[in-house]
Structure formats: C-alpha cells, structure tokens
Amino acid sequence: MKILAIETSCDETAAAVVTDGVAESNVISSQIDVHRTTGGVVPEVAARLQLEVIQPVIDQALRDASTEMKDVDAIAVTAGPGLIGSLMVGLETAKALAYATGKPLIPVNHLAGHLYGALANLQEFTFPYLGLIVSGGHTELVLMDDHHSFTLLGETRDDAAGEAFDKVAKLMGLPYPGGPEISKLATQGNPDAITFPRAMLDQDTFDFSFSGLKTAARREIGEGSPDKARLADIAASFEAAVTDVLIQKTLRAAESYDPEAVLLGGGVAANQKLRNDLTASCETAGLALKISPPEYSTDNAAMIGIAASYAPPGLTGAAARKVTADPSADLAPAT
Ligand code: KG4
Ligand code: ZN
C-alpha cells in the first residue's frame, strides 16, 4: 500500500511517501529560523507558515518518490495531539485531497507516530513493546501490546523532557530549540559537576517531573552570566539528570512488564547521550532496544506514514474523513 503522509502538529511542515511500511521520501520544512527570533513557537505564526508551504512540501514528497497522486492508495495525517492551528492545516489539506481523489484518509496519533519511528524498517513485530516517548510536548512510558494499541504507564506531571531542555537553554541564552544546543554545549562540560535532583525516582510510579530540575538549573545559572566553562558544566549535569531519570524509569517499567523490546522515539531521542546511555543500560539488562533513527526522531511525516501502514482497517474509510484535530489526544490507556 502506498501512503501519502502529512504531519503539521507543531512547527514542522512535513510530507512523505511510504510504501508497505518503508519511506520512499521524507520532506521537512522547518520554521526554526522564524521561531528563533521569538525564542519559541508562536502558535498563530506557526499555523500561518504551515499554510504557506504545505502544498509545495507535498509536491516535493511526491516528486522525490517519483509518485503521482493517482498512484497513492491512501492519505495519512497527524490528527493530534499538537497545536490546533497547525494541526488543522494538515488535516484540512488531507481531507480535501481525500475528498477530491476518493482515497481513504487515515488519521494518526502523533505520539503513536513517534513510536513507529522506532519501528521503522522492521519486517516482523514482536509485541509487547515498552515505548518511551520524549518530545517537546510529551514524556510518556507506554506499553504497546499490538499495532495501535497502547496502555499509558506513566507521563510527566509538569514539563516534558524536551520542554525542560528548551526552557533551560533559554535561561542560558541559547537559541531555540534548546535541546540540540544544550547537548552540543554538554560535550564540553562535566556531567558530575553539579548534582541536580532526580525527581520521583524514590516513588513507586512511572510518572516523571522535570520542573524542579529546571528550577535547580535556573538557580545554578543565576542572575549574572556564568562563563562558558560553567555553562558547559551546567548543560552536561542537566543532560545527565534528564537522561538518568528517563533511563531508570524505563528499566523499572521493563522489569514490571517484561517487553520484547524497548522503543525510544520523539525529538529528544535525537539526543546522543540518551541514545548511548540507554543502549548501554539495555545491553546490561539484557533488553532489546529500538531507537528511532535521528531523521525519524524529531517531527517528520515518514513516521506518520509508517504508523498508518499498520493502522487497523476501522481507522480508514469514510468515517475517518470526519476526523477533527484533538489536541488533548494523548495515548490514552487501552480499554
Ligand atoms: O518530537 P519533536 O520534534 O516535537 C514535538 O512533538 O514536541 O520534539 C522536539 C523537542 C524539542 O524540545 C527539542 O529541543 C528536542 O525535541 N530535541 C532534543 C534534541 N533534538 C531535539 N533534545 C535534546 N537533545 C537533542 N539532540
Ligand atoms: Zn513530535
């Protein structure tokens, strides 16, 4: 099945052609340069920019895959969660395309998409998987017991991991988005220089909390402007604290649920320290691990197309055309 996939949940406009679960093109137009000027995403601006580039991005994705619209079997689109204005651009475009061409529409949960980024290019699936989703808006541990069937085990009670990276970077005077900037700076620092809090590790829950860590980092940064070496130490120690908590909670959940493999997806999965440390920890624990490749970690449409390739039949067809954006559509517990 050949799927044209569209993803516009935040500040990336993305389209991909995915055939039988394998991406043949993956086009991403980023708004980072614009949002850098405001130090973060302004939702109205993001939606307007999505509208400007959505059609050229789709055209490019089709061209890159040497595909014409008539050869596409279905159209997949991110239905939520995300910024409502941004989501609507992708959704309305996808609905119009589906209506005009008579092709089925497949709505995809953005967070499910992030997990399918980790499942890219897989020939065989062996459930259950334990998924760690770490993005700018979400931090969740989920048990995936079948395609598109998830049980939420734990989530952040305040900031998402990526959000914490972005906020601390802003306090340090680093540009948006802060995650890659902090990890770059962290390579020059000492991760043991500052002992930042590891919240909720002593509690019997798979939930996370990162707001205390952000406050502790703010205190270390202080009012003045610390020198570069000190900032690098703060960045390295902060990154170590985030990855430490994420990994410890994941290993604990793996002990409780005995998954066939651990999945790591979402924008923060692009973080090299998290990738390295989780790989080492899973090896030690004898756990299989699948990490989304960096190009499928931050927002992209290939992961949405891959997820749609394994969507249950009920998700397609006329009923799906009525889908509307639901920004609160977290990966709800399976019932
Ligand atoms: O999944 P994503 O592209 O968008 C959302 O769904 O939110 O994630 C974006 C987040 C941002 O907070 C960004 O700072 C973070 O992922 N991020 C990183 C890295 N690359 C992106 N965080 C830490 N290290 C990175 N290398
Ligand atoms: Zn995302």
Side-chain angles (χ1 to χ4, degrees):
M1 183 161 74
K2 198 179 273 297
I3 294 174
L4 170 68
I6 298 169
E7 148 67 41
T8 64
S9 67
C10 188
D11 59 342
E12 259 93 31
T13 313
V17 173
V18 174
T19 301
D20 298 331
V22 177
E24 296 183 320
S25 64
N26 190 23
V27 177
I28 303 170
S29 168
S30 172
Q31 307 175 357
I32 281 178
D33 289 347
V34 174
H35 298 307
R36 244 181 206 166
T37 61
T38 46
V41 177
V42 177
E44 289 296 323
V45 175
R48 214 165 338 113
L49 293 174
Q50 296 274 9
L51 203 52
E52 279 174 21
V53 299
I54 182 82
Q55 197 57 55
V57 164
I58 290 172
D59 291 343
Q60 187 66 46
L62 289 169
R63 256 196 317 274
D64 285 358
S66 305
T67 298
E68 289 181 38
M69 203 54 218
K70 66 174 172 45
D71 304 322
V72 166
D73 299 307
I75 296 151
V77 63
T78 302
L83 299 175
I84 187 81
S86 290
L87 283 168
M88 293 313 284
V89 173
L91 269 163
E92 293 308 316
T93 305
K95 281 199 274 186
L97 273 174
Y99 183 74
T101 59
K103 319 240 182 215
L105 185 70
I106 308 175
V108 174
N109 180 292
H110 181 75
L111 302 178
H114 275 309
L115 286 183
Y116 277 94
L119 292 166
N121 304 320
L122 212 63
Q123 303 301 322
E124 236 175 84
F125 295 84
T126 48
F127 299 101
Y129 293 114
L130 172 66
L132 174 63
I133 305 162
V134 276
S135 74
H138 293 82
T139 300
E140 294 189 358
L141 267 171
V142 299
L143 194 67
M144 181 180 186
D145 59 17
D146 202 346
H147 284 299
H148 293 273
S149 173
F150 306 96
T151 305
L152 183 66
L153 305 179
E155 64 187 328
T156 184
R157 296 200 182 165
D158 39 57
D159 291 343
E163 189 181 1
F165 268 99
D166 294 341
K167 286 179 174 170
V168 169
K170 201 168 180 179
L171 291 170
M172 288 180 167
L174 298 171
Y176 171 87
E181 297 292 332
I182 288 201
S183 58
K184 218 187 300 161
L185 188 59
T187 57
Q188 299 155 39
N190 172 9
D192 300 318
I194 302 146
T195 311
F196 279 126
R198 268 79 167 151
M200 301 184 70
L201 277 186
D202 55 346
Q203 291 179 34
D204 191 18
T205 162
F206 298 121
D207 283 350
F208 305 90
S209 166
F210 294 107
S211 69
L213 174 57
K214 178 189 62 194
T215 307
R218 175 186 284 131
R219 217 173 294 126
E220 288 297 331
I221 296 162
E223 292 300 317
S225 39
D227 62 31
K228 183 95 187 286
R230 178 72 183 156
L231 280 181
D233 281 348
I234 297 171
S237 303
F238 167 82
E239 186 182 55
V242 174
T243 47
D244 199 15
V245 173
L246 291 172
I247 291 169
Q248 288 207 45
K249 291 264 173 182
T250 303
L251 292 181
R252 259 191 232 168
E255 250 174 51
S256 298
Y257 291 94
D258 195 21
E260 291 293 325
V262 172
L263 310 179
L264 175 65
V268 184
N271 182 277
Q272 200 56 51
K273 181 171 173 59
L274 179 59
R275 299 172 82 87
N276 294 346
D277 290 1
L278 186 61
T279 302
S281 300
C282 284
E283 253 171 45
T284 306
L287 281 164
L289 171 67
K290 294 177 197 310
I291 303 182
S292 63
E295 68 273 21
Y296 295 166
S297 293
T298 44
D299 289 348
N300 67 91
M303 68 181 193
I304 301 302
I306 296 168
S309 305
Y310 302 101
L315 272 181
T316 63
R321 294 216 180 99
K322 295 200 188 77
V323 69
T324 49
D326 179 5
S328 64
D330 293 2
L331 283 178
T335 48

